[in-house]
Amino acid sequence: MREGTRIGFILLVTPLLLWLTLLIVIPHIDMLLISLRERVGVGEYQFSAANYLTFLQEPLYLWTFLRTAVMSVTATLITLLVAFPVAYYIAKMAKGRVKSLLFLLCLVPFWVSELVRTFGWMILLRETGIVSSLLQYLGLVDGPVEMLYNDAAIMTGLVYTSMLFMVVPLITTLGSLDDAVIEAGYDLGGSGPSILREIIIPHAMPGIVSGCIVVFMLSLGNYLTPTMLGGKDSLWFTELIYSQFIVRFNWELGAAFGFVLLFLSSFIVWAMLRLTGQTLEKTMG
Amino acid sequence: MIPTIPQSRPFRFAYSAYVILFFLYLALPLLVVTVFAFNDSQFPSLPWEGFTWNWFFGDSAPMIGVFHERPILRAIGTSAFIGAAVSLLAVAVGVSNAFLFTRHKFRGRGLLYVLMLLPLVIPGIVLGISILVFSSTVANSVWDSMKWDLEVLRPGLTLVILGQFSFIATIATLVISARLQKFDQTLEEAALNLGATRLTAVRTITIPYLAPAMVGAFVVAFLMSFENFNTTLMLVGSDAPLTIAMFDRLKEGSTPLLNAVSLLLMLGSSCLALIMIAFQRRD
């Protein structure tokens, strides 16, 4: 029996180790090594931090990086603000059939590819699009208005695309809040806002954190939405990575950019977990 | 703010209105994509030129429908193949991981569990480039030392499958583990008492119990693979899956053909979702 469990253990741990080492750990180490080398001749490389210096010294790169980070944080906050009342409504106000129907309706758009969702926003927002035509029909504007290719369009798309990942964890945590606790709050003389602040939000914290982490990650790493809705000059960091790898074929610089992006996202995730006293196992698993 | 606590009428009204607006916002883009799949025009925009099925069944230029558009059909086939391969791999590894993490206590278990969750917090594009970089490193060193050109490790189907698998496996593991944790292990012990070998017990008792979670994980994995864009974009070779093919067309300008493809995609994924829900219900 002992021997049997041992063999079983080895059989089970092998696929896991193969997956994690060959597809996650070693590729990232290799990427780090490549980002830390500089081409000095044909097929000759030497160890240097030149790529990271380029990133820090070139204003366009640094600016794009900061812009992407700030826009992603903004998109996360907007998503949270938009999603919270809806999640609360579904979790606490709706009952029975209506509740499951509303929950299902929230999921529906996300069974569809992000490309389709973005395409829908393009049809709505472009110069010949629905919104522009509607405004003209109502007499609010004189000519066609171009609503694509600006930051507001990117923001709309980002918030839309990641809505689900905020709504679902919020519904789950809010659903586990006992109505009696809220009633007790009222009995003790609490008002709507104070109960929201003292009872509901602290209880929903794990959901808020995991929702924010996922939405932030998705926004930061998004390529499709900024490219399609923001146009050629949308200045999103993933576009820089793509162009270094596929267009310019400068893998060393591209790898360095990749690491900078990875560093930022890990840092923010770590900081959020730290600030709220959560762990990755609890929020993700 | 719960039904048992009375609220003022304007507040309740405003709250309901907000929720309705939210659902309109969710539905709007999908609605316009659907409607313009039937517009008898070269562009998916107003004015409305009349209803047509041509973007599905048309077989002559300029209105070639989805079912006569070879490159799109081939891209759908490629996507389906990648999706099936990724899902099979992910479910297999997911089952194995679920058994490992719920049944075995060993040193380094906590560390491995965190490592297993990491792919979820690595941006997809970074996963893509790291695998691209590593596979080329391997392919180049094999070429330098043995003069073999390992085609498999150049951008193409294999790399796309591996790249998508690298994070979808985490999701499959979580879905399957969640169900295995609820399994009553005395059932398996009963089978052992009745003379079954350990393998037979797992095969006849535990695996059937896990089946709904395995089907669920398969469907979710398939949909995620079908929709994936970021990781795929970095690893794609000459045969592009559907999302990449559509993206390339969208960059050149769109025709209602893309709306028709999108509508088919929506129908396809709704069907899969319904199958999955039906499977979970039966249990």
Side-chain angles (χ1 to χ4, degrees), chain A residues 254-280:
Chain A
F257 285 174
F259 244 90
V260 172
L261 185 74
L262 185 62
F263 179 77
L264 173 70
S265 72
S266 325
F267 175 75
I268 299 254
V269 170
W270 176 82
M272 267 207 245
L273 293 173
R274 208 62 212 277
L275 277 176
T276 54
Q278 309 281 332
T279 61
L280 191 65

Short mmCIF file of all heavy atoms in Angstrom, two decimals, chain A residues 254-280:
data_model
loop_
_atom_site.label_atom_id
_atom_site.label_comp_id
_atom_site.label_asym_id
_atom_site.label_seq_id
_atom_site.Cartn_x
_atom_site.Cartn_y
_atom_site.Cartn_z
N GLY A 254 11.53 43.91 -26.43
CA GLY A 254 10.17 43.43 -26.19
C GLY A 254 10.09 42.62 -24.90
O GLY A 254 9.16 42.78 -24.12
N ALA A 255 11.11 41.77 -24.67
CA ALA A 255 11.13 40.95 -23.45
C ALA A 255 11.24 41.84 -22.22
O ALA A 255 10.59 41.60 -21.20
CB ALA A 255 12.28 39.96 -23.50
N ALA A 256 12.06 42.90 -22.34
CA ALA A 256 12.19 43.83 -21.22
C ALA A 256 10.84 44.49 -20.93
O ALA A 256 10.41 44.59 -19.78
CB ALA A 256 13.24 44.89 -21.52
N PHE A 257 10.14 44.91 -21.98
CA PHE A 257 8.81 45.51 -21.81
C PHE A 257 7.87 44.51 -21.13
O PHE A 257 7.11 44.86 -20.24
CB PHE A 257 8.20 45.91 -23.16
CG PHE A 257 8.80 47.14 -23.75
CD1 PHE A 257 8.43 47.56 -25.02
CD2 PHE A 257 9.73 47.90 -23.05
CE1 PHE A 257 8.97 48.70 -25.57
CE2 PHE A 257 10.27 49.03 -23.60
CZ PHE A 257 9.89 49.44 -24.87
N GLY A 258 7.94 43.27 -21.59
CA GLY A 258 7.09 42.23 -21.01
C GLY A 258 7.34 42.11 -19.51
O GLY A 258 6.41 42.00 -18.72
N PHE A 259 8.61 42.16 -19.13
CA PHE A 259 8.93 42.04 -17.72
C PHE A 259 8.45 43.23 -16.93
O PHE A 259 7.98 43.07 -15.80
CB PHE A 259 10.43 41.82 -17.52
CG PHE A 259 10.64 40.48 -16.92
CD1 PHE A 259 10.82 39.39 -17.74
CD2 PHE A 259 10.56 40.30 -15.56
CE1 PHE A 259 10.93 38.15 -17.20
CE2 PHE A 259 10.67 39.06 -15.01
CZ PHE A 259 10.85 37.97 -15.83
N VAL A 260 8.58 44.42 -17.53
CA VAL A 260 8.09 45.61 -16.83
C VAL A 260 6.59 45.49 -16.58
O VAL A 260 6.10 45.77 -15.48
CB VAL A 260 8.41 46.88 -17.66
CG1 VAL A 260 7.74 48.08 -17.05
CG2 VAL A 260 9.91 47.07 -17.73
N LEU A 261 5.87 45.01 -17.59
CA LEU A 261 4.41 44.84 -17.45
C LEU A 261 4.10 43.81 -16.37
O LEU A 261 3.24 44.03 -15.51
CB LEU A 261 3.81 44.40 -18.79
CG LEU A 261 2.29 44.30 -18.82
CD1 LEU A 261 1.67 45.68 -18.86
CD2 LEU A 261 1.81 43.50 -20.01
N LEU A 262 4.83 42.69 -16.41
CA LEU A 262 4.63 41.64 -15.42
C LEU A 262 4.91 42.16 -14.02
O LEU A 262 4.19 41.88 -13.07
CB LEU A 262 5.55 40.46 -15.74
CG LEU A 262 5.39 39.23 -14.87
CD1 LEU A 262 3.98 38.67 -15.03
CD2 LEU A 262 6.41 38.17 -15.24
N PHE A 263 5.98 42.96 -13.92
CA PHE A 263 6.36 43.51 -12.63
C PHE A 263 5.26 44.41 -12.09
O PHE A 263 4.84 44.29 -10.94
CB PHE A 263 7.67 44.28 -12.75
CG PHE A 263 8.10 44.89 -11.45
CD1 PHE A 263 8.69 44.11 -10.46
CD2 PHE A 263 7.90 46.24 -11.20
CE1 PHE A 263 9.05 44.67 -9.26
CE2 PHE A 263 8.28 46.80 -10.00
CZ PHE A 263 8.85 46.01 -9.02
N LEU A 264 4.76 45.30 -12.94
CA LEU A 264 3.71 46.21 -12.49
C LEU A 264 2.48 45.43 -12.03
O LEU A 264 1.93 45.69 -10.96
CB LEU A 264 3.32 47.17 -13.62
CG LEU A 264 2.11 48.04 -13.29
CD1 LEU A 264 2.44 49.06 -12.23
CD2 LEU A 264 1.57 48.74 -14.52
N SER A 265 2.06 44.44 -12.85
CA SER A 265 0.82 43.75 -12.49
C SER A 265 1.03 42.95 -11.21
O SER A 265 0.16 42.95 -10.34
CB SER A 265 0.32 42.88 -13.64
OG SER A 265 1.14 41.78 -13.79
N SER A 266 2.19 42.29 -11.05
CA SER A 266 2.41 41.53 -9.81
C SER A 266 2.45 42.46 -8.63
O SER A 266 1.92 42.16 -7.56
CB SER A 266 3.72 40.74 -9.86
OG SER A 266 3.98 40.29 -11.12
N PHE A 267 3.09 43.63 -8.83
CA PHE A 267 3.20 44.57 -7.71
C PHE A 267 1.82 45.02 -7.25
O PHE A 267 1.53 45.06 -6.06
CB PHE A 267 4.05 45.77 -8.11
CG PHE A 267 4.10 46.83 -7.04
CD1 PHE A 267 4.88 46.65 -5.91
CD2 PHE A 267 3.34 47.98 -7.15
CE1 PHE A 267 4.90 47.61 -4.91
CE2 PHE A 267 3.36 48.94 -6.16
CZ PHE A 267 4.15 48.76 -5.04
N ILE A 268 0.97 45.37 -8.21
CA ILE A 268 -0.36 45.87 -7.83
C ILE A 268 -1.17 44.78 -7.15
O ILE A 268 -1.82 45.01 -6.14
CB ILE A 268 -1.11 46.43 -9.06
CG1 ILE A 268 -0.33 47.58 -9.66
CG2 ILE A 268 -2.54 46.79 -8.71
CD1 ILE A 268 -0.87 48.95 -9.42
N VAL A 269 -1.10 43.55 -7.68
CA VAL A 269 -1.83 42.45 -7.07
C VAL A 269 -1.34 42.23 -5.65
O VAL A 269 -2.12 42.13 -4.70
CB VAL A 269 -1.63 41.15 -7.90
CG1 VAL A 269 -2.18 39.95 -7.14
CG2 VAL A 269 -2.33 41.28 -9.24
N TRP A 270 -0.01 42.22 -5.48
CA TRP A 270 0.59 42.03 -4.17
C TRP A 270 0.15 43.14 -3.22
O TRP A 270 -0.26 42.88 -2.09
CB TRP A 270 2.11 42.00 -4.31
CG TRP A 270 2.85 41.91 -3.01
CD1 TRP A 270 3.09 40.78 -2.28
CD2 TRP A 270 3.43 42.99 -2.28
NE1 TRP A 270 3.78 41.09 -1.16
CE2 TRP A 270 4.01 42.44 -1.11
CE3 TRP A 270 3.52 44.37 -2.50
CZ2 TRP A 270 4.66 43.22 -0.17
CZ3 TRP A 270 4.18 45.15 -1.55
CH2 TRP A 270 4.74 44.58 -0.41
N ALA A 271 0.21 44.39 -3.69
CA ALA A 271 -0.13 45.53 -2.84
C ALA A 271 -1.59 45.44 -2.40
O ALA A 271 -1.93 45.69 -1.24
CB ALA A 271 0.13 46.83 -3.56
N MET A 272 -2.47 45.05 -3.36
CA MET A 272 -3.90 44.98 -3.02
C MET A 272 -4.15 43.90 -1.99
O MET A 272 -4.93 44.09 -1.06
CB MET A 272 -4.70 44.68 -4.28
CG MET A 272 -5.20 45.94 -4.94
SD MET A 272 -6.67 45.54 -5.83
CE MET A 272 -6.22 45.80 -7.44
N LEU A 273 -3.49 42.74 -2.16
CA LEU A 273 -3.67 41.66 -1.20
C LEU A 273 -3.15 42.09 0.16
O LEU A 273 -3.74 41.83 1.19
CB LEU A 273 -2.92 40.41 -1.67
CG LEU A 273 -3.46 39.73 -2.92
CD1 LEU A 273 -2.53 38.63 -3.36
CD2 LEU A 273 -4.84 39.16 -2.64
N ARG A 274 -2.00 42.79 0.16
CA ARG A 274 -1.36 43.22 1.39
C ARG A 274 -2.23 44.21 2.16
O ARG A 274 -2.48 44.06 3.33
CB ARG A 274 -0.02 43.88 1.01
CG ARG A 274 1.04 43.80 2.05
CD ARG A 274 1.37 42.35 2.30
NE ARG A 274 1.77 42.12 3.68
CZ ARG A 274 2.99 42.31 4.14
NH1 ARG A 274 3.94 42.69 3.32
NH2 ARG A 274 3.29 42.09 5.39
N LEU A 275 -2.73 45.21 1.39
CA LEU A 275 -3.53 46.27 2.01
C LEU A 275 -4.78 45.74 2.67
O LEU A 275 -5.25 46.26 3.67
CB LEU A 275 -3.92 47.31 0.95
CG LEU A 275 -2.88 48.36 0.63
CD1 LEU A 275 -3.37 49.25 -0.50
CD2 LEU A 275 -2.59 49.20 1.86
N THR A 276 -5.35 44.68 2.06
CA THR A 276 -6.64 44.22 2.57
C THR A 276 -6.49 42.94 3.36
O THR A 276 -7.49 42.37 3.81
CB THR A 276 -7.60 43.97 1.40
OG1 THR A 276 -6.95 43.09 0.48
CG2 THR A 276 -7.96 45.25 0.70
N GLY A 277 -5.24 42.48 3.55
CA GLY A 277 -5.01 41.29 4.36
C GLY A 277 -5.57 40.01 3.77
O GLY A 277 -5.93 39.09 4.49
N GLN A 278 -5.65 39.92 2.43
CA GLN A 278 -6.13 38.69 1.79
C GLN A 278 -4.93 37.89 1.27
O GLN A 278 -3.83 38.39 1.20
CB GLN A 278 -7.04 39.04 0.60
CG GLN A 278 -8.13 40.00 0.91
CD GLN A 278 -9.29 39.36 1.62
OE1 GLN A 278 -9.53 38.18 1.45
NE2 GLN A 278 -9.98 40.12 2.44
N THR A 279 -5.18 36.63 0.90
CA THR A 279 -4.12 35.87 0.26
C THR A 279 -4.59 35.43 -1.13
O THR A 279 -5.78 35.39 -1.40
CB THR A 279 -3.76 34.60 1.05
OG1 THR A 279 -4.93 33.78 1.10
CG2 THR A 279 -3.30 34.92 2.44
N LEU A 280 -3.60 35.10 -1.96
CA LEU A 280 -3.93 34.69 -3.33
C LEU A 280 -4.79 33.43 -3.32
O LEU A 280 -5.73 33.30 -4.10
CB LEU A 280 -2.64 34.46 -4.12
CG LEU A 280 -2.79 34.27 -5.62
CD1 LEU A 280 -3.31 35.55 -6.25
CD2 LEU A 280 -1.48 33.88 -6.26
#
